[in-house]
Amino acid sequence: MKFTSIDNIPALFGLNPSNTNKDFSEAKAWGKNSFNNCFPIALLCYMKSQNIAPVYLTLDQNWNIIPEKIDVNSIFGHAYDSEDIYFAFEYTYGQNQQFVKGTLPRIDLVVMDNSASENPWLRALEIKMTALPDNSTCNLSEEQYGCELVVRPNTIVHLTLEIAKWYAERHDELYEALRPIFQSDFDWDSENSMLERIPDITRTIKTLLLAKIDDQIPLVVQPIWKTVGKSSRLHENCLDVFVWSTFAFAKLLLDTVEQGRVRGFSRAKRVVLWIVKMLSDFATDGKIDPQTVSVGFTRQTDKAFALSGRKTHPYMSCVELSRPRIKKTEIKNIILGQGEKLLSPERRFDAILVNSPELFT
């Protein structure tokens, strides 16, 4: 399948009207939120066409996150250029609806196989497009640059579902694994009771993950775009893609809790409590409630937790982070048909000031 624009109609590499729910001939498909989800998938398709494998952050049996390589087709669960593949952006991953009370939150991308009428679901992927360096690392050497990672609550729901459904036919096994957490008068309405159980919770989740180490799959697609220091100029080597497995992403969260300095509730601690509450509900009812607020706090609507580039760098550190493999001269091969003219970036006052030096002369 050849991916080119037709008669200068705006398009993205690998995405066309027959394989996606986006119409890139329309300006609304190039809005900020839409573009930030769609461009990374076009970037992945382009990388596959160039035989460049993204970096796969995966968990090993020794509880270490290892940067490996993963074929793009393995990320999607299907050949990227197949006539049967379909990319549904901001969509519901129907395969997991059976495990949820109420409405399953949408995810950034659902990949489907159009030829499979009964079970078309292939992948549910969150997409986090991140700048390199971020504010916490821009004054360091390039080898120490890192990206800020902001995680949505919906990502946590989908992560929990991937853990829970391993026990869809073995609820008793999951219940027994969780039972020690809730012994000795555990009280969901007591902050002290919940905080005391945090170490038990992190150990239990770790045990659940290591028991299924061969079952991890891609969950978070994290493209990086590199600038020259803190400037708004793209670096010559400016684009690459990192992919977090379900397990690696869970370890990132657990490490954040264990290494945190906050004595009370941090966002990360609230998230692990939320996860174990959903898993507990699944063990007893066979379903989770994504809207649960019965863990002593209201569900955050903006973000579950966030990590600075200084925190993410140790996990992502590799040659590809220091020197991304896609050059800025290749962007024209990904954004096609003058699609860049339909982009509508945020108009930020500070950005205008930075780009208007004449105001200060």
Side-chain angles (χ1 to χ4, degrees), residues 63 202 251-262 266 268-269 307 310-311 314-315:
W63 197 242
T202 57
K251 174 180 164 56
L252 177 70
L253 169 62
L254 296 180
D255 285 356
T256 302
V257 170
E258 293 176 344
Q259 298 167 7
R261 298 180 180 178
V262 178
S266 63
K269 288 178 183 177
L307 293 175
R310 286 180 181 265
K311 297 292 187 180
Y315 300 97

Side-chain angles (χ1 to χ4, degrees), residues 123-138:
R123 286 282 189 268
L125 300 170
E126 280 284 277
I127 302 171
K128 308 293 179 188
M129 196 166 182
T130 54
L132 180 75
D134 73 337
N135 284 336
S136 74
T137 59
C138 62

Side-chain angles (χ1 to χ4, degrees), residues 136-156:
S136 74
T137 59
C138 62
N139 293 321
L140 304 177
S141 66
E142 287 191 63
E143 290 72 23
Q144 295 175 297
Y145 281 178
C147 304
E148 180 186 33
L149 187 61
V150 179
V151 180
R152 298 190 308 156
N154 285 3
T155 311
I156 303 304

